[in-house]
Amino acid sequence: MIHSGRHLRIYHRKHHFFIAGGVILLSILFLAILGGFTDINIAKLSSGIGISLYRLIIGYLISLTLGVGIAIFLEYAAISEFFMPVLDVLQNVPSFALIPVFAIAFGYTNTMAIIFAATSIIWPILFYVLSALTTARKELNEAATVFGAVGEKRIWNYLVPLSFPAIITGSIVGISIGWEAVIGIEIIGLSSGVGVFLSQASSAGDRNTLLLGIVAILLVVFAINKLIWTPLIKKTHYYAE
């Protein structure tokens, strides 16, 4: 289960970088062309997407750290079965039902949006990783112990590599939920972000602006999938059992 760092490199050849750059440039060019033929404020749309993406990324990184860390700790300490029912109950609490709590604690601020996104993204990552660790074959655990994967080495040389496919799968699911959380909280109470852009276009009855905003979000999601998740999914076979 010990793997070299080169296996985590997403792009191994130069043409991969050109393809990645092409996806981004074509998306920007498409939006610029649409903006040139309409009265839509492309700068405002781009700024909104950037702000929302920033909130999503920070929320994801927090969720990734906590989700993987908690799952590995529970499995390493052999207490995952005890905490599983508790985590399952917490997971089933509707995220948007917690908005009043977050609003009281943080107000409708950037920090609140990030924390709200993190609490939405964390569950798929946590449960996918925990499931991967708890269902690992017994002989793998025994082999890891025999080959000296104990203490801190067990975490970094066995549990983390074993979790890698689950981390990627959980991240993909979590990010999709995160987009919903970020845009939703922006529409409800924030003053910036692509959710606000869409809300204002809807309130004004501006269908063209609303449609372009939705298309822009889809392009960003498509670019992220092509540039990040698709290559990482291909890497998971290095860590397959």
Side-chain angles (χ1 to χ4, degrees):
M1 299 300 294
I2 299 176
H3 303 275
S4 63
R6 67 185 180 86
H7 287 158
L8 285 176
R9 290 171 55 191
I10 298 179
Y11 305 112
H12 290 279
R13 299 178 182 177
K14 290 183 178 179
H15 74 271
H16 291 157
F17 289 98
F18 288 112
I19 293 174
V23 171
I24 296 174
L25 290 176
L26 286 175
S27 299
I28 295 174
L29 182 61
F30 176 76
L31 292 177
I33 291 174
L34 285 180
F37 287 100
T38 64
D39 296 328
I40 298 170
N41 191 333
I42 296 298
K44 186 176 181 180
L45 173 58
S46 302
S47 174
I49 290 177
I51 292 171
S52 298
L53 191 58
Y54 163 75
R55 291 167 177 158
L56 179 67
I57 291 173
I58 300 301
Y60 166 69
L61 292 176
I62 294 172
S63 300
L64 179 66
T65 303
L66 291 177
V68 175
I70 292 172
I72 289 179
F73 170 76
L74 293 178
E75 179 61 22
Y76 183 78
I79 54 176
S80 58
E81 291 186 5
F82 176 79
F83 279 96
M84 185 68 78
V86 178
L87 295 174
D88 192 44
V89 170
L90 293 176
Q91 177 194 213
N92 284 287
V93 175
S95 297
F96 281 87
L98 299 175
I99 289 179
V101 177
F102 291 134
I104 293 173
F106 305 102
Y108 283 102
T109 61
N110 194 55
T111 300
M112 184 267 207
I114 291 172
I115 294 176
F116 179 66
T119 59
S120 302
I121 298 171
I122 190 172
W123 299 112
I125 298 175
L126 174 58
F127 276 94
Y128 271 99
V129 173
L130 198 56
S131 176
L133 295 177
T134 56
T135 59
R137 295 201 302 266
K138 183 179 180 181
E139 56 266 30
L140 280 178
N141 292 310
E142 294 174 349
T145 303
V146 169
F147 283 98
V150 295
E152 186 177 340
K153 289 183 179 180
R154 187 174 188 84
I155 295 175
W156 296 109
N157 294 337
Y158 174 63
L159 295 179
V160 171
L162 181 66
S163 304
F164 184 73
I167 291 173
I168 301 304
T169 304
S171 294
I172 293 172
V173 176
I175 285 291
S176 66
I177 298 173
W179 272 114
E180 178 183 348
V182 168
I183 294 175
I185 200 64
E186 289 172 350
I187 292 175
I188 291 172
L190 270 67
S191 59
S192 61
V194 72
V196 175
F197 180 90
L198 296 176
S199 179
Q200 291 175 348
S202 177
S203 298
D206 190 343
R207 295 181 180 179
N208 290 334
T209 300
L210 183 61
L211 178 60
L212 181 60
I214 294 173
V215 170
I217 295 173
L218 293 176
L219 286 174
V220 171
V221 172
F222 173 78
I224 292 174
N225 286 342
K226 280 295 182 182
L227 302 182
I228 300 176
W229 300 127
T230 298
L232 283 176
I233 287 174
K234 293 179 181 178
K235 296 295 178 186
T236 58
H237 73 273
Y238 288 113
Y239 301 86
E241 294 184 5

